[in-house]
Amino acid sequence: MATLTALVVSPAIARFSRSRFSGNQFIRPIRIQCATSFSSSSSSSSSSVDSSKKAAVLEKTSVETKTGSWQWRFQDNAVNVYYEEHKEGGASNAKNILMIPTISDVSTVEEWRMVAKDIVTRKGETDWHITIVDWPGLGYSDRPPLNYTADVMENFLIQFMNASDSPVKNLGGDLIVVGGGHAATLALQAAGKGLIKPSAIAAVAPTWAGPLPIVFGRSSDMESRYGLLRGTLRAPAVGWMMYNVLVSNEKAIQSQYKSHVYADPNNVTSSIVESRFALTKRKGARFVPAAFLTGLLDPVRSREDFLSLFAELDGKVPVLVVSTTSSPKRSKAEMDALREAKGVTKFVEVPGALLPQEEYPLTVADELYKFLQENFASNM
């Protein structure tokens, strides 16, 4: 998912693209929506209730927050990765949750922050310690010009969960993984291979196909076009030009959030737009989006493979799927395929569009907390 999940090609860029792509679909303005579907109920009641609760959570002062940087070593690179830890003051023997942002051009730990703060302050027999980590190349992490692929991102997740110096490795006890979009699918894939050992996985609006492949497919001709577009976006000068027109401007970000990232346009505030715009201006910001847009970060290539990731964990790891009620059609179809699918322990729907955890954080937190209580509350 991403704001690149809806790519709006202006006439100027369409003309620029004509020399690189054959076919009419790149000649006229187009909007492309990814199979990363998140849904939304545009009901104002859900929005207003979440907004009022959100303020109450922000007022709680008992949450201890720690920020840090962990060094991911990949090939000859040392990449500084940003993370946050949230827990309630005085909590001891807490169970642990790792939250991973949805992969997108504006991916950030901020999308999970309100959910984390709500969960750690809930009173129950179990305390929770939550770590949120930014992907390399996104959020507040370093953004080197690596050749990002699904395997590269999986390597990061595996190292972050298993390395001896990782902030989550030495916490002890259970570690529940919560991810949105492609992040959830990458976690499921790594768990199915036995490369990570989560106690449970919560997949919030899980997706598997990038914006272009879900619309135009993966024929050899289209793969060639994706490669040309990817190379152009990575190029030093023209890449920034194209990225600035397509993604890195406030009008584009606001339009995308109002049209499909959020369910209720009234929830798209100027502060959100300004914050996400700032992320797109960080050095190296275009490299991961170039890979995501063109399908290089897709963990699987078909719905059958997507379903098999869940089936592989059947009876081994509890899996929650949080779908959304108003997802883009293609994405919604992929999430609906998970209803009663093998390996899915629980399937729920919440209001929202592409980012339910950010737009309706308290609703998402409610569903996550119920799942945690059902599976871990009595196992202290």
Side-chain angles (χ1 to χ4, degrees), residues 202-376:
V204 178
T207 57
W208 59 267
L212 290 177
I214 193 62
V215 174
F216 295 113
R218 287 188 174 275
S219 67
S220 59
D221 179 57
M222 290 310 304
E223 290 286 8
S224 296
R225 297 184 187 194
Y226 301 157
L228 288 169
L229 176 58
R230 187 164 54 246
T232 302
L233 282 168
R234 289 179 62 92
V238 73
W240 269 118
M241 182 192 80
M242 179 176 277
Y243 185 71
N244 286 339
V245 172
L246 299 180
V247 176
S248 187
N249 67 83
E250 292 185 355
K251 280 191 174 180
I253 292 171
Q254 183 182 61
S255 174
Q256 291 161 6
Y257 262 73
K258 287 188 173 183
S259 67
H260 60 273
V261 176
Y262 274 20
D264 185 349
N266 294 320
N267 290 335
V268 182
T269 65
S270 59
S271 62
I272 289 172
V273 173
E274 290 165 6
S275 169
R276 302 310 179 257
F277 174 66
L279 289 173
T280 68
K281 291 302 183 185
R282 293 175 69 86
K283 182 180 179 181
R286 70 193 187 279
F287 297 118
V288 170
F292 174 68
L293 169 67
T294 55
L296 278 188
L297 303 188
D298 295 352
V300 295
R301 295 296 182 92
S302 69
R303 178 183 294 178
E304 291 71 24
D305 290 342
F306 182 52
L307 294 174
S308 72
L309 297 180
F310 293 85
E312 179 64 31
L313 298 178
D314 188 43
K316 302 174 185 176
V317 177
V319 175
L320 168 69
V321 171
V322 180
S323 181
T324 48
T325 56
S326 305
S327 307
K329 184 166 64 174
R330 290 183 177 90
S331 302
K332 180 66 171 170
E334 300 308 311
M335 283 187 274
D336 281 346
L338 294 171
R339 289 180 183 272
E340 300 182 6
K342 185 177 181 180
V344 176
T345 309
K346 185 177 183 181
F347 183 100
V348 298
E349 282 193 336
V350 298
L354 291 182
L355 278 180
Q357 66 267 34
E358 184 174 276
E359 185 178 10
Y360 299 100
L362 280 303
T363 304
V364 172
D366 279 342
E367 295 298 344
L368 292 175
Y369 192 73
K370 290 175 189 174
F371 177 70
L372 295 170
Q373 293 293 101
E374 290 163 2
N375 287 278
F376 300 98

Side-chain angles (χ1 to χ4, degrees), residues 153-219:
M153 294 309 215
E154 183 185 65
N155 176 282
F156 160 72
L157 180 59
I158 293 166
Q159 285 198 41
F160 188 76
M161 290 186 64
N162 295 331
S164 59
D165 63 344
S166 165
V168 299
K169 176 63 176 177
N170 297 314
L171 293 174
D174 294 303
L175 179 60
I176 296 95
V177 175
V178 178
H182 274 43
T185 311
L186 285 165
L188 286 158
Q189 181 170 260
K193 295 176 182 177
L195 300 175
I196 60 174
K197 305 289 187 181
S199 304
I201 296 176
V204 178
T207 57
W208 59 267
L212 290 177
I214 193 62
V215 174
F216 295 113
R218 287 188 174 275
S219 67

